[in-house]
Amino acid sequence: METKKSPRILVFSTDKISDPGIDQAGLRKIHYSPTVYTISLPCSSGIKPRWVMRAFEQGFDGVFIAADGHECSYSSRCPEFTNKIIEECQKQMTEKGISPKRIRMAAICSVCAEPFASHMANFTKILAELS
Amino acid sequence: MEEKQKKQRIGVYICHCGGNISDYVDVEQLRDIVGQEENVAVSKNVMFACADSNQKEMIKDIQEKHLDGIVVASCSPKLHLHTFRGVAERAGLNPYNYVQVNVREQCSWAHSDHPDQASYKAAGLIRAGIRRVSSSEALTNIEVKATKSVVVIGAGLAGMRASIDLARMGNQVVLVEKEPVAGGQMAGKGPVFPTNQKGQELVNTLLGEIRKLPKITLFTSATVDKVTGSIGNFKVDIKVNGTPGEVMSFPAGAILVTTGYESYIPKEGEYGFTEGGRVITMKEFEKMVDSSNSSLSYKGKPVKTIAYIYCVGMRQTKGENKYCSRSCCTAAIHSSIMVHEKFKGIKAFHLYRDIRTYGKNEILYEKSSRLGDTFLMYQEKEPPSVVQGKNIVNVKIKDSLTKKRELELDADLVVLVTGMVPRNDSQDIANKLKIPIGNDKFFNEIHPKLRPVETVINWVFLGGSCQGPKNITESVQSAMAASAKINAIIRKDTLELEPIVARIDAEACTWCGKCQEVCEYDAIFQIETNGKVVASVNDPVCKGCGICAPICPADAIDIAQYTNAEIEGMIDGFSQQVDLNIEKGKSGQEGDAGGMKDFPQIWKSIMENLSEEPKTIPQIAAGIQQPSELVTWHLMTMNKYYIVESAGIDDNDEYFLYKLKNQAK
Ligand SMILES: Cc1cc2nc3c(=O)[nH]c(=O)nc-3n(C[C@H](O)[C@H](O)[C@H](O)COP(=O)(O)OP(=O)(O)OC[C@H]3O[C@@H](n4cnc5c(N)ncnc54)[C@H](O)[C@@H]3O)c2cc1C
Ligand code: SF4
Ligand code: SF4
Ligand code: SF4
């Protein structure tokens, strides 16, 4: 087994923009915590709150949404939609006694390798402090 | 949503990637662990999953062992998703029963500093892949029958040229023009560069051809009222002015937008521009030159000295139009030459920022200099000042070419060289067709180099100067490219689209209309099934973005390949306990930070070997004493990541040469 467990983070990325950014981090060996797992979707506005809640049920410590922000090719309202989803998740999380700080979002672009790694480092720190 | 039959005979292939993965991840142990999963029938390690030999082996496995799903744990799906979908298809397995797991970019490389933990993560990723594939559905591509007719919007030179091409290739064309006459910016125009033919003559030539082609219907004073239907079968409603209430509908397999541009109109006071003054725009000047005969005069006073001010309204580092309009330098110089050829004794001063008479038009620049025109250069920060007198305009410029000496001249006429700006009304067309507008407010193609005439909306195309500043040749070229592209698509009887679309569970849906509200592509409509009103998806229009899914209060919507079962299965797979026997720090290097220094050794050798000059694969293989097959696979990956690039073919026309990216040949 892993010795000291670092917080487990589930990342929702997007096929065309943020996932390539995360790939870049790997390619350039810009390291982040190995307890980060990524699921890539067409658009961050398609994340269902029930998936987020499933992650917490399965012992994830945090959920990070690597969104396209204003670069989204589907909708100019993407940031607004994604924000609404996060609000809904936070509502459900609070009901279950999970800190709303355990979900985060940032725009990650297709070359955002360093920003992604530093978001992961930050979030890992925040989550470690929370528990 | 209903539980689908889960896959029982899954094949899992875990790739070494020649060390890229196996140097950090214990692929052998993972193979054994995964092989014990109940629904896994085959679990293998492969040196290079993408290699031809492995693809053949996979096909054999799928067929002989009756696999119903496959997982390849290798590089990023961005690189090989389609390779393995193809493998599945060739083996007779539905390509959507295949899942690629990224254990290289998002595992072995990302965590090469923690190889012990990388193996744990890889286990989670692969198990997530297995769960995902076990819930995957066999999907069929969406077939679309295309109507062999095209609606072209805008009858400038671009739209007319494209319509003629499309009609000659056998398609029905409806050409819609807003103005009472066709021709766009060239209607009524005098001689244009580079041929000196009159703009109106070009228009007449094309109109003559259009009249001869019964397949083209041209509507003038007409606009597009509404666009409905879907890819391959649009319905375009056209409204003709003066026929109140009358809207005609036309079917269209594809739509081509050639709505052109507008000329920049200077603001009141910009370079002394006022109604009725002696400062006029390029467009007005061209008209005046064309219609004057023996002498050139303006407002009753002969014109002897002309000052042209370039880049008016263009190339504004702080303003709206940041781009260069491309045609105006040449247009101004061309007009100046016309003026000298038509009238005697005229002095011309060109106040420019840079001269961009690119390509063959450089000859015109040279010619105007020989004719005695004076060129003075100004900087954006210190534009010329223009003060109108009674019959004369006083112009002052800080000439960059003579150390910003202030020069002063009195002109009879100042011509503001105004360029091409996006049309004021382009948002209207953008809204109707849902095509994106760029920061520069021109329409956006998918990719300026790789897909220059397509838009993100399937089968809506762009041509001519509605995409950005273009001269006539360029406008017509892009219009012809678009018509060739359109014809290639609609001449086939049916077309296939990826089936990654929204699906609605009619039992769960209670028709609240929320999904329809958020769908920006109008893909959702209402239907009645079994006496119940529910939402339904128009597959060919749906982009599969998934925005409608979380909105639904009844959770009645999922996106193919991203269903609850698949996504939640992945989350569960990540979280499954795994016991690996890994000595800490067994392999890989600790604490390396970024850069190239811990690329696989073989990459470093290849890069060193290429540092002097471009080489072929056999040369590199000989140089680093490795088999050329191994070099080939690594070089392919390095090429995909822009570490190396192709440098043409060798002298014997036998092998491609490769060089380090950014290395001169
Ligand atoms: C000052 C100046 C001088 C130039 N001189 C030259 C030259 O000498 N040589 C040269 O090669 N190039 C020249 N150009 C460039 C040239 O004008 C363009 O390349 C060319 O006209 C572009 O043709 P087009 O068909 O794309 O657009 P346009 O000519 O703008 O045609 C677009 C048409 O679409 C119509 N339309 C727009 N919206 C709608 C709608 N919603 N519904 C229906 N119809 C619509 C418009 O009414 C118009 O008829 C010059 C440009 C400028 C600014
Ligand atoms: S073509 Fe010449 S005048 Fe026109 S914007 Fe470009 S540089 Fe300025
Ligand atoms: S949001 Fe859901 S319930 Fe409402 S109409 Fe759409 S599918 Fe039906
Ligand atoms: S997936 Fe996107 S395009 Fe398709 S119906 Fe839903 S919102 Fe519309």
Side-chain angles (χ1 to χ4, degrees):
Chain A
M1 276 306 311
E2 292 141 272
T3 37
K4 203 183 126 272
K5 256 188 92 190
S6 73
R8 295 176 72 228
I9 300 173
L10 178 64
V11 175
F12 284 106
S13 65
T14 64
D15 286 346
K16 292 193 191 70
I17 300 181
S18 64
D19 208 49
I22 298 172
D23 277 358
Q24 273 254 343
L27 168 73
R28 294 173 48 205
K29 307 254 168 108
I30 298 170
H31 302 303
Y32 50 91
S33 160
T35 45
V36 169
Y37 298 80
T38 302
I39 294 180
S40 167
L41 302 170
C43 171
S44 58
S45 297
I47 299 171
K48 290 189 186 175
R50 60 177 275 180
W51 302 342
V52 172
M53 297 315 288
R54 177 71 151 237
F56 289 118
E57 277 162 30
Q58 286 287 11
F60 274 95
D61 299 290
V63 171
F64 183 88
I65 299 177
D68 298 350
H70 291 283
E71 271 192 69
C72 175
S73 62
Y74 295 108
S75 169
S76 54
R77 291 170 67 197
C78 184
E80 174 197 331
F81 289 135
T82 308
N83 260 323
K84 273 214 189 107
I85 292 167
I86 291 179
E87 276 168 26
E88 174 57 32
C89 291
Q90 288 178 325
K91 211 179 92 203
Q92 295 185 20
M93 287 159 67
T94 314
E95 279 166 16
K96 289 236 151 77
I98 302 166
S99 163
K101 286 188 193 149
R102 291 186 182 271
I103 184 165
R104 295 204 124 199
M105 170 173 81
I108 298 290
C109 74
S110 57
V111 292
C112 280
E114 283 99 349
F116 175 73
S118 68
H119 276 298
M120 287 305 104
N122 256 336
F123 198 25
T124 299
K125 216 170 94 204
I126 292 171
L127 292 172
E129 279 163 14
L130 274 175
S131 51
Chain B
M1 232 159 252
E2 68 181 291
E3 271 294 303
K4 306 260 163 35
Q5 175 69 41
K6 302 247 187 215
K7 300 282 169 287
Q8 298 302 333
R9 302 191 53 79
I10 297 169
V12 182
Y13 298 84
I14 306 172
C15 187
H16 281 257
C17 196
N20 280 303
I21 296 166
S22 55
D23 280 357
Y24 310 99
V25 170
D26 192 333
V27 293
E28 275 112 21
Q29 250 193 97
L30 292 183
R31 172 200 59 203
D32 296 341
I33 286 183
V34 160
Q36 287 156 19
E37 303 252 325
E38 207 183 313
N39 51 357
V40 171
V42 173
S43 178
K44 285 186 175 172
N45 283 137
V46 286
M47 185 50 76
F48 291 106
C50 53
D52 229 21
S53 52
N54 178 59
Q55 293 189 28
K56 283 191 190 124
E57 196 177 317
M58 284 173 71
I59 292 178
K60 209 168 136 228
D61 286 351
I62 295 170
Q63 290 172 338
E64 287 178 359
K65 306 206 167 113
H66 307 289
L67 302 182
D68 54 6
I70 47 174
V71 172
V72 177
S74 60
C75 49
S76 166
K78 271 99 214 153
L79 302 174
H80 280 307
L81 181 79
H82 292 282
T83 312
F84 297 116
R85 270 196 192 158
V87 169
E89 205 159 19
R90 290 202 297 281
L93 182 69
N94 187 286
Y96 297 95
N97 290 139
Y98 146 70
V99 166
Q100 183 154 355
V101 176
N102 185 347
V103 290
R104 191 177 73 181
E105 282 81 347
Q106 294 188 6
C107 189
S108 68
W109 282 348
H111 312 304
S112 59
D113 58 335
H114 286 111
D116 49 336
Q117 293 192 43
S119 296
Y120 283 98
K121 174 166 174 180
L125 296 178
I126 296 170
R127 283 176 156 170
I130 295 171
R131 300 228 174 186
R132 184 178 198 181
V133 89
S134 81
S135 296
S136 67
E137 300 160 38
L139 301 170
T140 34
N141 285 347
I142 299 161
E143 281 204 351
V144 180
K145 274 198 166 44
T147 311
K148 286 189 177 45
S149 64
V150 184
V151 168
V152 179
I153 308 172
L157 293 186
M160 290 198 284
R161 178 73 253 173
S163 300
I164 293 166
D165 284 12
L166 284 163
R168 286 203 181 134
M169 293 186 270
N171 304 293
Q172 287 292 337
V173 179
V174 174
L175 175 56
V176 193
E177 170 54 50
K178 202 171 204 170
E179 300 298 323
V181 293
Q185 298 286 345
M186 287 297 132
K189 189 143 173 147
V192 291
F193 71 79
T195 54
N196 278 347
Q197 253 174 313
K198 288 199 173 207
Q200 183 60 44
E201 278 168 24
L202 296 171
V203 175
N204 292 345
T205 311
L206 294 178
L207 266 182
E209 288 190 51
I210 287 176
R211 289 205 187 93
K212 280 188 265 167
L213 288 162
K215 280 196 183 307
I216 306 178
T217 316
L218 167 66
F219 291 101
T220 50
S221 304
T223 48
V224 171
D225 190 47
K226 208 167 78 199
V227 181
T228 49
S230 59
I231 162 174
N233 299 288
F234 296 107
K235 184 165 131 301
V236 184
D237 291 350
I238 292 164
K239 207 157 109 193
V240 181
N241 269 357
T243 50
E246 207 200 320
V247 173
M248 288 170 285
S249 278
F250 295 93
I255 296 174
L256 173 59
V257 181
T258 48
T259 50
Y261 70 95
E262 238 166 54
S263 284
Y264 177 76
I265 313 253
K267 298 185 190 73
E268 179 71 22
E270 190 174 352
Y271 294 107
F273 183 75
T274 46
E275 188 65 48
R278 292 191 160 270
V279 179
I280 64 174
T281 66
M282 192 62 208
K283 210 174 164 180
E284 293 168 297
F285 181 65
E286 283 175 339
K287 227 185 221 140
M288 172 184 152
V289 174
D290 189 45
S291 58
S292 310
N293 285 318
S294 49
S295 67
L296 192 65
S297 63
Y298 187 73
K299 293 195 189 291
K301 186 179 176 261
V303 172
K304 288 288 165 206
T305 306
I306 303 172
Y308 298 87
I309 301 179
Y310 284 61
C311 295
V312 174
M314 301 292 119
R315 302 176 62 204
Q316 306 163 319
T317 33
K318 297 242 164 60
E320 269 207 1
N321 310 321
K322 302 215 183 306
Y323 50 86
C324 160
S325 167
R326 290 168 67 91
S327 307
C328 15
C329 276
T330 314
I333 287 172
H334 177 255
S335 288
S336 179
I337 295 172
M338 292 273 101
V339 167
H340 292 308
E341 284 174 357
K342 234 169 146 177
F343 316 102
K344 291 275 148 324
I346 291 189
K347 269 198 222 131
F349 295 89
H350 301 262
L351 283 54
Y352 71 97
R353 281 175 59 195
D354 288 294
I355 291 292
R356 297 186 170 166
T357 46
Y358 60 97
K360 295 182 182 175
N361 296 320
E362 185 69 7
I363 295 164
L364 296 174
Y365 182 25
E366 205 260 334
K367 183 168 177 186
S368 84
S369 307
R370 254 193 295 115
L371 288 169
D373 282 8
T374 307
F375 286 82
L376 304 164
M377 187 186 200
Y378 74 90
Q379 303 292 328
E380 185 188 14
K381 273 186 248 138
E382 294 169 307
S385 82
V386 179
V387 180
Q388 299 224 22
K390 195 150 173 277
N391 278 321
I392 214 102
V393 201
N394 179 268
V395 182
K396 288 196 188 104
I397 175 178
K398 283 193 179 145
D399 181 32
S400 295
L401 300 180
T402 49
K403 291 193 181 158
K404 300 215 176 147
R405 196 147 60 108
E406 185 160 86
L407 305 173
E408 187 172 348
L409 63 105
D410 284 331
D412 303 309
L413 189 67
V414 170
V415 178
L416 301 183
V417 180
T418 43
M420 309 164 78
V421 291
R423 286 181 66 101
N424 212 357
D425 56 5
S426 42
Q427 191 66 52
D428 175 55
I429 282 292
N431 290 346
K432 283 177 180 149
L433 295 170
K434 308 184 176 65
I435 49 178
I437 285 190
N439 286 339
D440 56 15
K441 308 263 168 63
F442 285 103
F443 295 134
N444 261 4
E445 58 282 306
I446 295 185
H447 191 284
K449 291 177 183 166
L450 304 177
R451 298 175 74 179
V453 295
E454 292 160 88
T455 69
V456 288
I457 302 299
N458 286 331
W459 303 7
V460 174
F461 294 81
L462 301 173
S465 57
C466 65
Q467 292 180 277
K470 288 188 168 92
N471 64 28
I472 296 171
T473 312
E474 293 155 352
S475 300
V476 169
Q477 275 166 350
S478 81
M480 291 176 85
S483 43
K485 192 89 202 159
I486 290 172
N487 186 61
I489 285 178
I490 62 177
R491 67 195 287 256
K492 292 188 202 141
D493 287 330
T494 53
L495 260 134
E496 294 197 349
L497 303 172
E498 273 202 0
I500 316 298
V501 292
R503 289 103 41 105
I504 288 166
D505 179 354
E507 251 169 59
C509 170
T510 52
W511 182 260
C512 64
K514 288 194 171 150
C515 52
Q516 192 181 42
E517 263 167 50
V518 294
C519 177
E520 292 183 18
Y521 301 94
D522 293 339
I524 292 184
F525 59 100
Q526 221 184 34
I527 52 159
E528 226 188 283
T529 49
N530 306 327
K532 188 182 168 202
V533 174
V534 293
S536 185
V537 176
N538 184 352
D539 291 351
V541 185
C542 174
K543 297 258 140 207
C545 61
I547 292 178
C548 54
I551 300 280
C552 174
D555 196 12
I557 307 179
D558 68 19
I559 308 298
Q561 296 252 289
Y562 302 93
T563 59
N564 290 333
E566 285 162 295
I567 302 295
E568 290 170 357
M570 287 176 79
I571 295 171
D572 298 351
F574 292 151
S575 311
Q576 224 175 313
Q577 281 288 346
V578 56
D579 279 318
L580 294 176
N581 176 19
I582 284 171
E583 300 158 41
K584 213 171 146 40
K586 187 188 91 182
S587 56
Q589 306 99 308
E590 288 276 338
D592 39 68
M596 301 270 168
K597 69 171 186 287
D598 64 348
F599 275 148
Q601 184 53 44
I602 184 163
W603 288 26
K604 285 185 255 173
S605 315
I606 292 175
M607 285 158 72
E608 253 164 50
N609 196 255
L610 283 177
S611 63
E612 297 280 304
E613 52 176 7
K615 284 186 181 152
T616 65
I617 287 174
Q619 286 169 339
I620 301 169
I624 64 170
Q625 300 186 352
Q626 291 288 349
S628 57
E629 191 190 327
L630 192 72
V631 172
T632 308
W633 293 114
H634 282 283
L635 211 59
M636 275 165 61
T637 310
M638 293 168 80
N639 185 32
K640 281 195 163 128
Y641 281 115
Y642 308 110
I643 294 165
V644 300
E645 61 185 343
S646 130
I649 208 149
D650 70 354
D651 292 340
N652 303 329
D653 274 356
E654 237 184 317
Y655 291 102
F656 279 107
L657 289 158
Y658 289 88
K659 63 173 183 179
L660 292 178
K661 182 97 174 129
N662 302 328
Q663 173 191 290
K665 208 172 156 178

